[in-house]
Amino acid sequence: MKNNIGLYNLLTVLLVIGGYTGNAQGSNKNTTSTTYDFNDSHFHLTNYIQEGITVQDYLKIMGNRVGRSTLFGIPLQQMWSYQNSGDYAPSYYLQSDAPLYYYSFTDAYIASAYNSLSAADKQRFDPMITGFNPADMYAKAHIKRVLLTFPGVFSGIGEFSIHKEFVSSKVAGEVASLTNPAIDSVLEFAGEVGLAVIFHNDMDMPFAKAGAEPVYLEQMKALLKRHPKTTIIWAHVGLGRIVHPVQQSASEPVNEHNPNQLKIVEDMLTDPALKHVYFDISWDEVAKYVVGSAQALQNTITIINRYPDRFLFGTDVVAPKNPEMYYAVYNMYAPLWKALTPEASEKVRKGNYERIFNEARQKVRSWEKKNRM
């Protein structure tokens, strides 16, 4: 695997020297390559106690199968409360009743990891800012400070969450909301700078009844429509571990008050006011819904083939210990990759990532240059 990485780096350097800029900063060109399987639009280098693998180890796992990847930690730290769990040190938010709190140092850590790479290896990553509280009106100031402290590093913000099953209620302090002006401030600034946004927000509550309108859908759409100049990727198509795909009632026809998941998504894809919104199909929890039945798979194939420019693939793997763990999500989607048209498959796995993040790199570097202190 080391030989593959060395060959990839040598090839990258030669291409850059020769004037090829398909993956380089500032380029808006898409790359069309058969030498790698995908670009990863959703990857966590660290976990809920800010531990993980090194970026160098991640490069080894990527090898020549992954072209580029986002790079971010997790903005929340699980508190180890001795009163709650004693000598047991929780490493995941479901392992303790103690609260979570925002951990802003994650951005400095990600920047340090990125800056430890060679120039060629840096081209393979798009670091993201996550260490801000979306309920805090100072969140915009944090993002701006990070950009000016670490110029040339970040391409976007996220993954950050507003409504997330089991997580939102555990966060210390004010509960984040889609109607809070703080999140509008963040998204407006992202649009001004050109930062790509990866946004987790459950479409519905856990254990929702079939036929009921998703509780967060209208608020989410209203928020997205307020920021038409901001490129936003709605993570996991609004799904969660317990937040299942929205189901229509068996006794009623589908209508605006009785939707199903793909009807909701298609309505958004055809809404001109939401043309800046994309969906990622990251996470094994999402993959299990897609490939869980022949009908679900066929429905997904149909909508992606119809709107191939609006979907991205990401693993959403957290600090993988080995290649098997990392590639498991991609492998789960094997029936989808096989059934999509070649054009749609290429765009979802590679092209859409490159188009979105090449544009983000260019715009953010330009903003940094104009605002350099």
Side-chain angles (χ1 to χ4, degrees), residues 21-303:
T21 57
N23 277 346
Q25 291 186 135
S27 171
N28 284 317
K29 297 179 181 179
N30 288 343
T31 58
T32 301
S33 172
T34 58
T35 61
Y36 60 95
D37 293 335
F38 63 94
N39 296 311
D40 194 338
S41 68
H42 196 126
F43 176 77
H44 298 272
L45 189 67
T46 57
N47 62 15
Y48 274 92
I49 57 170
Q50 310 306 317
E51 295 179 354
I53 62 173
T54 67
V55 70
Q56 286 79 14
D57 284 340
Y58 181 37
L59 265 172
K60 293 176 183 177
I61 291 174
M62 290 167 65
N64 58 6
R65 290 193 62 187
V66 180
R68 286 165 60 179
S69 176
T70 55
L71 194 68
F72 45 91
I74 287 180
L76 294 164
Q77 164 79 29
Q78 173 61 58
M79 177 181 175
W80 181 3
S81 169
Y82 192 84
Q83 298 300 318
N84 181 263
S85 61
D87 292 328
Y88 177 74
S91 60
Y92 192 56
Y93 64 86
L94 293 176
Q95 296 176 341
S96 171
D97 292 330
L100 298 160
Y101 59 90
Y102 288 98
Y103 189 83
S104 293
F105 186 72
T106 186
D107 295 327
Y109 180 82
I110 292 297
S112 176
Y114 176 79
N115 282 328
S116 71
L117 296 168
S118 67
D121 286 339
K122 284 181 177 180
Q123 298 305 318
R124 300 183 69 182
F125 292 104
D126 290 282
M128 309 287 281
I129 297 170
T130 63
F132 58 90
N133 181 345
D136 184 358
M137 290 296 291
Y138 279 123
K140 170 185 171 180
H142 170 85
I143 295 167
K144 183 176 182 180
R145 188 177 303 117
V146 170
L147 289 173
L148 296 178
T149 303
F150 302 103
V153 174
F154 292 97
S155 300
I157 60 174
E159 178 200 22
F160 69 94
S161 303
I162 300 295
H163 295 293
K164 183 176 182 180
E165 56 190 9
F166 308 126
V167 171
S168 304
S169 60
K170 286 195 65 177
V171 179
E174 182 179 351
V175 177
S177 165
L178 295 169
T179 61
N180 190 324
I183 188 60
D184 283 290
S185 174
V186 166
L187 295 182
E188 181 179 6
F189 183 66
E192 174 188 330
V193 176
L195 294 158
V197 176
I198 302 175
F199 190 179
H200 180 125
N201 190 80
D202 295 340
M203 188 180 293
D204 208 350
M205 68 175 72
F207 310 111
K209 293 183 179 179
E213 183 176 2
V215 293
Y216 302 122
L217 178 60
E218 291 307 313
Q219 286 187 4
M220 182 65 169
K221 289 196 293 187
L223 175 64
L224 296 173
K225 289 180 179 181
R226 290 198 296 272
H227 301 282
K229 297 181 180 179
T230 307
T231 298
I232 301 172
I233 302 167
W234 193 352
H236 324 308
V237 204
L239 301 177
R241 177 177 283 102
I242 305 299
V243 175
H244 298 167
V246 178
Q247 299 295 319
Q248 68 188 78
S249 170
S251 60
E252 302 176 53
V254 176
N255 57 55
E256 62 180 338
H257 299 297
N258 177 31
N260 62 40
Q261 188 79 23
L262 289 182
K263 176 66 165 60
I264 291 169
V265 172
E266 184 161 30
D267 286 347
M268 293 181 67
L269 291 170
T270 56
D271 188 339
L274 295 173
K275 62 183 180 181
H276 59 296
V277 178
Y278 300 81
F279 297 91
D280 86 23
I281 56 170
S282 65
W283 202 12
D284 55 356
E285 295 293 333
V286 177
K288 75 179 183 183
Y289 297 130
V290 172
V291 302
S293 71
Q295 189 61 59
L297 178 60
Q298 185 54 56
N299 292 344
T300 305
I301 292 164
T302 298
I303 198 168

